[in-house]
């Protein structure tokens, strides 16, 4: 089995040694692989670095570069591992899940290599074991804290805990021990039928909260090709924000700020999801707002909004 590792930066590649200004990505993909010689037990490893960014400064453009490299090498390798900063790791995993059919496992670390108890080596080993496994044949996944999660359901749940990545509704697909992989569900990804665009549409994220008015939406719409609204509860917004959504000239996708659970049109008051569902340009997503933003960006570029998001009957 051959696994190709694509490094993009993140805490797993960061160090604060000799710096007075804080940690930053310094290590290359080769550095990460050389630190875990056990990887060769599971696969023939090749490696490259395509970026050196912290997770909080990743971009769709870098995601597109990773997807392009995977496409270039897909005929020559059995699986891919992407090392990444944890802040937006789930978003990149979802991007790759929607655009690439090759099996890819995204991983990172919560503690740097120069910190006690660094989790990077274990996470990288877990990712390679998953990417090289015969059951992982397509789709994007997240390997973290000796668990494997589907890109469509996973989210970062804690700022610093080592088990930060969770799938609150479905749970992990597998648990890794020293000698075995305990599978709980079959590892399957998305249809991967959205192309990587030459240019990514602009999709701002607007958050509803107590007292949020229309201006936040109006400011976002002025530069938007589409908008994702992180609503409260089942996908509700304030009355003022709901009025702005009603007048929008671009597609609007409603998701929920909640850690788990679907969106659903129940409340018919101003800003309620049942009211918003009556507008032709409003759709609903059932994952995180951040994952919905990635999907809307790709769906807009492919003119596929209608078949990627749910429209409830008014």
């Amino acid at each position: 089995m051959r696994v190709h590792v694509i490094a993009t930066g993140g805490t797993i590649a960061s160090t604060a040694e000799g710096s007075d200004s804080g940690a930053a990505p310094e290590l290359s993909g080769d550095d990460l692989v050389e630190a875990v010689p056990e990887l060769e037990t599971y696969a023939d490893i090749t490696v490259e670095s395509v970026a050196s960014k912290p997770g909080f400064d990743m971009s769709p453009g870098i995601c597109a570069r990773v997807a392009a490299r995977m496409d270039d090498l897909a005929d020559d390798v059995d699986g891919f591992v992407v090392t990444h900063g944890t802040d937006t790791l789930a978003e990149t995993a979802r991007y790759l899940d929607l655009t690439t059919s090759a099996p890819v496992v995204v991983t990172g670390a919560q503690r740097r290599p120069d910190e006690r108890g660094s989790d990077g080596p274990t996470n990288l080993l877990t990712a390679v074991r998953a990417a090289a496994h015969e059951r992982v044949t397509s789709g994007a996944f997240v390997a973290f804290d000796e668990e494997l999660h589907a890109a469509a359901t996973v989210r970062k749940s804690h700022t610093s805990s080592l088990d930060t990545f969770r799938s609150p509704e479905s749970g992990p697909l597998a648990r890794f021990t020293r000698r075995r992989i305990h599978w709980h569900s079959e590892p399957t990804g998305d249809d991967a039928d959205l192309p990587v665009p030459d240019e990514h549409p602009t999709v701002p994220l607007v958050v509803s909260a107590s007292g949020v008015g229309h201006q936040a939406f109006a400011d976002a719409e002025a530069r938007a090709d589409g908008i994702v609204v992180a609503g409260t509860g089942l996908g509700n917004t304030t009355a003022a924000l709901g009025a702005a959504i009603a007048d929008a000239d671009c597609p609007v996708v409603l998701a929920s700020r909640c850690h788990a659970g679907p969106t659903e049109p129940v409340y018919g008051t101003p800003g309620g999801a049942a009211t918003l569902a009556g507008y032709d340009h409003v759709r609903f997503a059932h994952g995180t707002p951040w994952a919905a933003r990635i999907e809307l960006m790709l769906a807009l570029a492919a003119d596929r909004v209608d078949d990627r998001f749910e429209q409830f009957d008014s």
Side-chain angles (χ1 to χ4, degrees):
M1 298 290 286
R2 179 182 169 192
V3 171
H4 188 68
V5 178
I6 300 175
T8 66
T11 297
I12 192 171
S14 293
T15 179
E17 291 181 349
S19 172
D20 296 327
S21 57
E26 301 284 351
L27 303 180
S28 68
D30 286 313
D31 294 327
L32 300 182
V33 167
E34 288 172 6
V36 193
E38 301 96 317
L39 299 179
E40 295 288 349
T41 303
Y42 297 96
D44 295 326
I45 305 296
T46 53
V47 60
E48 67 178 297
S49 299
V50 303
S52 186
K53 291 280 190 179
F56 52 81
D57 197 28
M58 289 293 287
S59 68
I62 296 175
C63 293
R65 286 165 57 191
V66 173
R69 289 299 296 145
M70 290 177 57
D71 185 59
D72 291 342
L73 298 170
D75 292 337
D76 300 319
V77 303
D78 299 294
F80 293 88
V81 168
V82 175
T83 60
H84 197 287
T86 59
D87 282 359
T88 56
L89 187 152
E91 293 169 60
T92 293
R94 186 59 175 151
Y95 187 108
L96 298 174
D97 197 37
L98 293 166
T99 59
T100 60
S101 58
V104 55
V105 183
V106 190
T107 194
Q110 289 283 74
R111 294 179 186 165
R112 304 186 312 270
D114 58 353
E115 292 182 291
R116 290 185 183 273
S118 174
D119 54 329
T122 297
N123 289 339
L124 181 56
L125 180 60
T126 300
V128 167
R129 289 176 68 186
H133 199 278
E134 62 183 8
R135 293 179 70 167
V136 180
T137 58
S138 65
F141 307 91
V142 170
F144 224 88
D145 195 38
E146 298 183 320
E147 291 182 340
L148 188 70
H149 295 263
T153 59
V154 73
R155 59 205 66 194
K156 184 175 181 180
S157 65
H158 194 282
T159 57
S160 58
S161 177
L162 301 190
D163 65 347
T164 182
F165 284 99
R166 303 285 184 90
S167 297
E169 293 197 75
S170 61
L173 299 171
R175 180 74 185 176
F176 290 68
T177 63
R178 290 175 178 84
R179 297 191 177 196
R180 294 183 56 196
I181 303 176
H182 298 266
W183 295 97
H184 308 310
S185 302
E186 195 65 26
T188 56
D190 205 277
D191 293 334
D193 60 350
L194 291 173
V196 175
D198 294 330
E199 294 186 11
H200 293 85
T202 300
V203 180
L205 178 64
V206 176
V207 180
S208 185
S210 179
V212 169
H214 66 88
Q215 194 59 52
F217 190 92
D219 292 344
E221 188 183 12
R223 62 184 190 280
D225 298 301
I227 297 175
V228 171
V229 175
T232 53
L234 290 164
N236 308 300
T237 71
T238 62
L241 187 52
I245 292 171
D247 294 333
D249 292 325
C250 64
V252 177
V253 172
L254 281 164
S256 177
R257 303 183 327 180
C258 293
H259 187 60
T263 53
E264 192 168 86
V266 173
Y267 292 96
T269 58
T275 301
L276 300 175
Y279 307 134
D280 288 340
H281 59 286
V282 172
R283 300 290 187 275
F284 289 79
H286 302 303
T288 65
W290 355 110
R293 178 176 172 269
I294 292 295
E295 188 165 358
L296 180 57
M297 191 181 300
L298 295 169
L300 282 167
D303 195 22
R304 296 274 306 280
V305 173
D306 287 346
D307 64 78
R308 297 301 311 191
F309 295 97
E310 188 165 8
Q311 184 176 28
F312 289 99
D313 294 331
S314 58

